Amino acid sequence: MKIGITCYPVAGGSGIVATELGQQLAQRGHEVHFVSYALPFRLDRYQASLMYHGVETTAYPLFKYPPYTLTLAAKMADVARNFELDLFHVHYAIPHAACAFLAKQLLTDTMERPPKIITTLHGTDITLVGSDPSFYDIARFSILASDGITAVSKYLADETAEVFKIDKEIRVIHNFIDGDRFKPSTTQCCRSEFAAEDEFLIAHVSNFRPVKRTLDVIDIFGKIAAELPAKLLLVGEGPDMILARRQIKRKNLTDRVIFLGNQSRVEAILPCADLFLIPSEEESFGLAALEALSCGVPVIGTAGTGLVEVIEDFKNGFLLPVGDTASMARAAVALLRDPQRLAAFKLDAARSARERFASDKIVTQYEQHYREVLDA
Ligand code: GMT
């Protein structure tokens, strides 16, 4: 198949999923064309049948805001025409699904079979609608105009159907993991760079947006550190980083916290950790949690979110109510104090992640969905 992929190219779950998917599809012999304003974050190796097409916005005094979405739609149409794409797979409804719709309209006269559109919903596209109702109609329209819709969890599929009153099928295709890269290895990472032998290493990876509840991470860690020798590893960048630094200072934790900024190879860091924290307010799936589990790191996350489809409560982590930092810290301390249980959780984490979310299995689900849409 000839597949066009559009995603946000910055560090973030939807871009990472789109990028890994494109690479896996190219490996399976498909021709993949990324169309975006920058080279996607983890698109860092050469593959013969994988191409990137950059979208250049035009600066003109009249434009207070350069019309990126129009340029993107025009570029998508151009790539589709030149490379005879079978489908556009867009990640994140706003604005990508709308751009795909427009690109398809642009092609109706010149292509006998313009590309079909598949939209994958990642979650924050729905939250965004919650915070800015002006997006509601366009998001609903472009989701419905797609030939195939997928969501990264059942939690998100149900929420989308309810919020947008959609009775069309929303296919659940979970995030996936390359178990050869994300594995529990002691040689892959250098634990001594981060913590002493007798210290526990707690990790958190995110884009530090309010939805991630970064202050809860600090609060939970502060409570753990009051009971046990421990270090906190923070990976990522984002708006709440300033708050986090302030809170760390206020709680006298400065020498216990390590900031690594954005990292494209988290698989070289995660296996060092003993525990991963993801106390998000909302999480449609939690790719960061899956990456940690696959590296053999138990996860503490929030109940009532898509994390319930990833973390197995009391087997490889704990699911606790949003904001209940006291219970999260208690669960963490009890687990870290019980070496046998911790080892069992670590084993189960790696096993469960690789069995349930193996890239081989999940990429096949995308391929099947593509075929169904093309044959319809
Ligand atoms: O986590 C983020 O805020 C980034 C966001 C995105 O769209 O880039 O991630 C979302 O998509 C990921 C990949 O499907 C999911 O694993 C994350 O759970 C989801 N984030 C949220 O729902 C907050």
Side-chain angles (χ1 to χ4, degrees):
M1 280 178 263
K2 295 185 177 189
I3 305 152
I5 296 185
T6 292
C7 62
Y8 282 108
V10 290
S14 59
I16 292 172
V17 169
T19 306
E20 304 275 351
L21 176 63
Q23 290 174 332
Q24 300 263 349
L25 289 167
Q27 233 165 52
R28 291 179 181 212
H30 301 289
E31 189 177 302
V32 177
H33 296 263
F34 278 90
V35 186
S36 189
Y37 62 83
L39 192 71
F41 179 59
R42 285 198 195 166
L43 196 64
D44 50 6
R45 64 191 150 107
Y46 171 74
Q47 280 175 278
S49 52
L50 191 152
M51 272 165 264
Y52 161 71
H53 309 270
V55 179
E56 302 285 338
T57 51
T58 319
Y60 186 70
L62 195 64
F63 298 153
K64 185 173 172 198
Y65 307 106
Y68 170 67
T69 44
L70 295 183
T71 325
L72 172 62
K75 187 77 179 185
M76 287 168 83
D78 190 48
V79 172
R81 202 181 294 114
N82 289 333
F83 295 91
E84 296 174 334
L85 296 188
D86 298 305
L87 58 93
F88 291 127
H89 186 175
V90 296
H91 294 259
Y92 216 90
I94 301 164
H96 300 145
C99 295
F101 173 78
L102 186 54
K104 194 170 171 177
Q105 297 305 304
L106 291 173
L107 291 164
T108 43
D109 307 346
T110 46
M111 271 181 97
E112 204 180 313
R113 272 174 64 100
K116 297 278 176 102
I117 302 170
I118 292 179
T119 298
T120 290
L121 303 167
H122 288 269
T124 40
D125 15 20
I126 310 298
T127 324
L128 185 69
V129 167
S131 59
D132 189 344
S134 65
F135 284 125
Y136 183 90
D137 287 338
I138 189 102
R140 183 171 190 275
F141 172 83
S142 29
I143 290 170
L144 284 172
S146 304
D147 300 291
I149 314 162
T150 81
V152 297
S153 60
K154 179 173 181 312
Y155 163 81
L156 179 62
D158 291 348
E159 203 184 349
T160 308
E162 194 185 314
V163 170
F164 289 110
K165 298 176 181 49
I166 287 176
D167 51 18
K168 216 168 141 176
E169 186 204 358
I170 303 176
R171 180 76 53 95
V172 175
I173 305 185
H174 286 128
N175 288 176
F176 56 89
I177 197 80
D178 178 351
D180 291 336
R181 272 175 52 203
F182 289 83
K183 56 184 179 202
S185 146
T186 41
T187 50
Q188 209 173 342
C189 74
C190 189
R191 198 179 191 283
S192 58
E193 272 180 36
F194 306 122
E197 274 290 298
D198 63 341
E199 281 176 326
F200 290 105
L201 193 60
I202 318 295
H204 171 74
V205 181
S206 81
N207 49 24
F208 293 83
R209 292 201 203 123
V211 73
K212 301 291 174 182
R213 295 185 70 101
T214 309
L215 294 187
D216 282 6
V217 174
I218 314 297
D219 198 28
I220 300 163
F221 176 72
K223 289 182 166 75
I224 298 173
E227 303 270 336
L228 298 165
K231 287 267 172 64
L232 175 66
L233 207 51
L234 294 178
V235 183
E237 288 285 348
D240 280 359
M241 191 48 111
I242 298 173
L243 290 179
R245 285 188 191 272
R246 217 176 281 159
Q247 187 78 342
I248 287 162
K249 211 165 158 193
R250 204 176 293 141
K251 288 185 177 262
N252 287 323
L253 293 169
T254 310
D255 55 358
R256 300 246 189 161
V257 183
I258 303 154
F259 297 92
L260 292 181
N262 275 333
Q263 296 285 334
S264 60
R265 291 273 157 199
V266 280
E267 66 271 30
I269 301 160
L270 284 172
C272 292
D274 296 296
L275 193 63
F276 188 88
L277 303 176
I278 180 164
S280 312
E281 181 101 38
E282 295 262 356
E283 200 64 65
S284 58
F285 179 88
L287 180 63
L290 174 59
E291 291 181 339
L293 290 170
S294 188
C295 290
V297 185
V299 178
I300 294 188
T302 36
T305 69
L307 285 166
V308 303
E309 290 169 53
V310 187
I311 301 166
E312 293 186 270
D313 208 9
F314 288 90
K315 276 178 88 180
N316 52 41
F318 297 103
L319 290 157
L320 291 152
V322 174
D324 190 354
T325 56
S327 299
M328 291 185 194
R330 244 193 326 270
V333 170
L335 182 65
L336 296 172
R337 277 200 172 129
D338 185 341
Q340 263 185 350
R341 197 167 180 225
L342 180 60
F345 269 49
K346 286 186 176 189
L347 266 180
D348 193 83
R351 181 206 53 78
S352 159
R354 286 129 168 281
E355 264 174 36
R356 297 166 62 216
F357 304 109
S359 49
D360 270 3
K361 183 166 120 183
I362 310 277
V363 173
T364 302
Q365 293 174 9
Y366 276 115
E367 269 182 319
Q368 264 163 11
H369 190 55
Y370 291 170
R371 286 205 185 95
E372 283 168 35
V373 166
L374 288 174
D375 292 345

